[in-house]
Amino acid sequence: MIAAAPNELLVDEYELAMADSYVAEGKDSEPVAFELFARELPPNRGYLVAAGLERAVEVLTGLRFGDEALRYLERARTCSPALLARLAEVEFRGDLAAVPEGTVVHAREPILRVDGDLLTCQLVETLLLNQVNFQTLIATKASRIVTAAAGRPVVDFGFRRAHGADAGILAARAAYIGGCVATATVAAGYLYGIPTTGTMAHSYILSFPTDVEAFVAFLRHHPERSTLLIDTRDPVAGAHAAVEASRATGIVPRAVRLDSGDLVPLTAEVRDVLDQGGLPETRIVCSGDLDEYRIAGLLAAGAPIDGFGVGTALTTSSDAPALGGVYKLVEAGGRGVMKARGPKSNLPGRHQVFRGADGDVIGLADEDLPGRPLLEPVLSSGARVSGEPPIEEARDRAAEQVATLPESVRALRDPDTLPPRLSPRLRALEEDLR
C-alpha cells in the first residue's frame, strides 16, 4: 500500500500559521478573492494549455478537517486550540470561476479565481497550485509533442518515469487533454475513460527462442492489437521476422515498433522490408527517449514514422520541469489589493479575460468588454454549477485553440508570445495602488 496522509494536511505550515493569526484577529471570515496564474511562461513555451480544474473542484468541495488530522495538529502543536476548533467546522462555501480545461492561456491570465472567506481560501493554496501547475505543465508539453508529430498519433508511455503514482495518472490525463490519443496507464483508463493501449516488452521476445516464435504467438493471441517490437536483437532482422510471422499466421500486424537506434536510416530500411514482404499497411511506431525536438528532427529528415510513444520527456516535461504558477490575494474586504513592487507584483482586483480577434484583454470582473469571457462559473456557494464535462471536450478545445495560434507562437524553440493587454480601468487601478 502507498502511505497516505489525510488530504486536508496537504498544506504548507505557513498557511496554518497565518490561519492561526486570522482567527486570533477575527479576520478568518473576511470575504476575499484569490487568483491562480503564471507570471511568465516556461522556456520555449509560447502558450499554456490549462488543465487540472477537475482536481481543483475536488480540493474545494472535499475540504474537511477530520478527527485524525485534528488530533495530529494538536499533538504536533501546530495549531492553537482556537484554530483547531475553527478547522473542525471548515467547509468551502464560496465560489470558483475558471477557464475550461483545454483553454489556451498566456502569462498573467488567471486560470481560476476562488472567492470565499479568508481562512478557507488561504488553506487551499498549496494543493490548488500543486494540481493546476503540474497538469497545465504536462498538457502543454503534450500539445507541443503532438504539434511536432504533425498529425501522427502520440501515445503516453510515461507512468514508470513519473514522479510518483499520482503524478503518473494525472500526467496521463493531462497528456490526453493536450492531444495524445491514448495512454499505457491502465488506471487512467479506469478513472478518466482515456483510451489505453499496450503490446509487448523486450522481455516477452526474450522469453521465446526466436523473434519469429514470439511474434507468431502474439499475433495469434492479439490479432486486433498486434504491434510487434522488432529491435530486441536486431531491428532489420526483427522486421524480417515480423514478415515471416505474418505469413505463418495469415495475420497482418498493425504496426512494428522501434525503441532504439539511429531511427532515420533504420525506419527507411524497415519500411522497405515490410513493403517487400507484403506488409505495406503495417505502420512503423517509434519510442525511446523521444521529445518534441527529436520528433521534429526525425520527420524533417524524412523518417517514415507513422506514430510515436513518448514517456520520460512527457510526464516530467524534462526540458521545462516546473510551471511557476502562483496563487495571489487580489481582493480583500471588497477592495483590490496587490503586491506593488518588484517582478513578483500582481494585478489588483477580481479579473476576467476577454478573448477577441486582436488578442486577449484582462479587465476587472465587473467590466463588459469586447470579446469572449474566458473564466466561467464552476462552483457557487460551494456547489457545482453544472455537471463535470467529458474529458473529450477539453481535448477538442485544446486542439482547436492551439491550431488557431500563429505558427510563430507554436514554434518549438524561441516562440513568440501573446501577452494580454490591460483594460483602461484595470491599468488605472494598478497605477493608483502603486
Side-chain angles (χ1 to χ4, degrees):
M1 295 292 291
I2 300 173
N7 285 338
E8 58 269 34
L9 295 182
L10 296 173
V11 298
D12 288 325
E13 187 169 327
Y14 86 150
E15 286 146 3
L16 294 172
M18 289 186 286
D20 236 329
S21 186
Y22 292 152
V23 171
E25 293 292 322
K27 292 173 58 67
D28 52 300
S29 297
E30 179 179 326
V32 298
F34 282 81
E35 290 182 352
L36 191 157
F37 59 96
R39 287 196 185 98
E40 56 187 25
L41 302 179
N44 285 321
R45 303 307 193 257
Y47 63 92
L48 297 173
V49 175
L53 173 59
E54 290 309 317
R55 273 292 183 93
V57 170
E58 292 176 18
V59 168
L60 293 171
T61 58
L63 181 63
R64 305 285 190 282
F65 277 79
D67 291 342
E68 182 181 353
L70 293 171
R71 284 194 297 269
Y72 165 75
L73 293 173
E74 181 179 28
R75 185 170 67 250
R77 298 183 180 180
T78 305
C79 303
S80 68
L83 178 56
L84 289 171
R86 181 71 170 84
L87 293 178
E89 61 185 26
V90 157
E91 182 178 353
F92 182 74
R93 298 185 181 90
D95 300 336
L96 170 67
V99 301
E101 288 191 293
T103 300
V104 166
V105 295
H106 306 286
R108 304 184 82 188
E109 295 181 347
I111 296 174
L112 59 82
R113 181 179 64 249
V114 181
D115 292 87
D117 66 81
L118 178 56
L119 175 74
T120 306
C121 293
Q122 189 80 73
L123 288 172
V124 297
E125 173 187 9
T126 295
L127 192 49
L128 286 179
L129 285 169
N130 172 272
Q131 296 298 311
V132 175
N133 276 341
F134 177 68
Q135 293 187 63
T136 297
L137 181 76
I138 303 306
T140 305
K141 181 69 170 181
S143 172
R144 289 165 53 80
I145 293 170
V146 169
T147 295
R152 297 160 180 83
V154 177
V155 175
D156 158 42
F157 279 7
F159 183 86
R160 64 189 59 194
R161 302 289 170 78
H163 297 164
D166 192 53
I169 293 170
L170 293 179
R173 181 182 186 277
Y176 187 65
I177 290 173
C180 288
V181 299
T183 179
T185 305
V186 175
Y190 170 78
L191 289 171
Y192 305 119
I194 299 169
T196 60
T197 187
T199 55
M200 62 176 64
H202 296 294
S203 55
Y204 180 85
I205 308 298
L206 295 172
S207 72
F208 290 84
T210 66
D211 287 9
V212 173
E213 289 171 272
F215 293 162
V216 165
F218 200 84
L219 287 172
R220 285 175 175 164
H221 300 146
H222 301 286
E224 299 302 319
R225 57 172 186 171
S226 50
T227 296
L228 306 178
L229 182 60
I230 61 172
D231 65 342
T232 302
R233 298 181 175 93
D234 174 83
V236 177
H240 284 288
V243 170
E244 187 176 341
S246 178
R247 289 172 177 165
T249 60
I251 299 168
V252 175
R254 292 180 61 188
V256 297
R257 178 162 68 96
L258 288 163
D259 194 51
S260 60
D262 188 348
L263 294 178
V264 174
L266 270 180
T267 52
E269 194 167 357
V270 166
R271 182 74 272 162
D272 185 62
V273 170
L274 296 176
D275 291 348
Q276 295 299 321
L279 300 179
E281 296 179 1
T282 298
R283 296 171 295 170
I284 298 175
V285 176
C286 290
S287 58
D289 298 320
L290 299 179
D291 61 13
E292 64 266 49
Y293 307 109
R294 192 168 177 213
I295 287 172
L298 289 169
L299 297 181
I305 302 173
D306 302 298
F308 299 93
V310 184
T312 304
L314 172 57
T315 55
T316 66
S317 188
S318 56
D319 68 317
L323 175 63
V326 294
Y327 180 81
K328 293 299 177 184
L329 182 69
V330 295
E331 186 176 277
R335 57 185 176 84
V337 296
M338 65 181 292
K339 182 183 182 299
R341 296 294 178 188
K344 291 190 174 183
S345 64
N346 63 278
L347 297 172
R350 301 165 68 253
H351 304 111
Q352 178 60 273
V353 182
F354 300 88
R355 178 157 292 171
D358 58 347
D360 291 357
V361 175
I362 303 177
L364 294 168
D366 61 355
E367 291 192 82
D368 185 11
L369 300 176
R372 178 171 57 88
L374 295 189
L375 281 86
E376 301 176 358
V378 180
L379 298 175
S380 177
S381 299
R384 187 134 197 174
V385 173
S386 59
E388 179 180 344
I391 193 171
E392 285 75 19
E393 286 187 12
R395 187 170 184 273
D396 292 345
R397 182 180 296 111
E400 178 183 351
Q401 293 192 13
V402 170
T404 63
L405 291 171
E407 185 176 347
S408 62
V409 174
R410 290 183 282 119
L412 300 182
R413 297 187 188 275
D414 301 318
D416 290 336
T417 59
L418 297 173
R421 306 187 304 278
L422 305 185
S423 74
R425 268 187 64 194
L426 176 55
R427 188 174 295 281
L429 177 60
E430 180 187 30
E431 290 302 319
D432 182 58
L433 291 178
R434 282 187 191 282

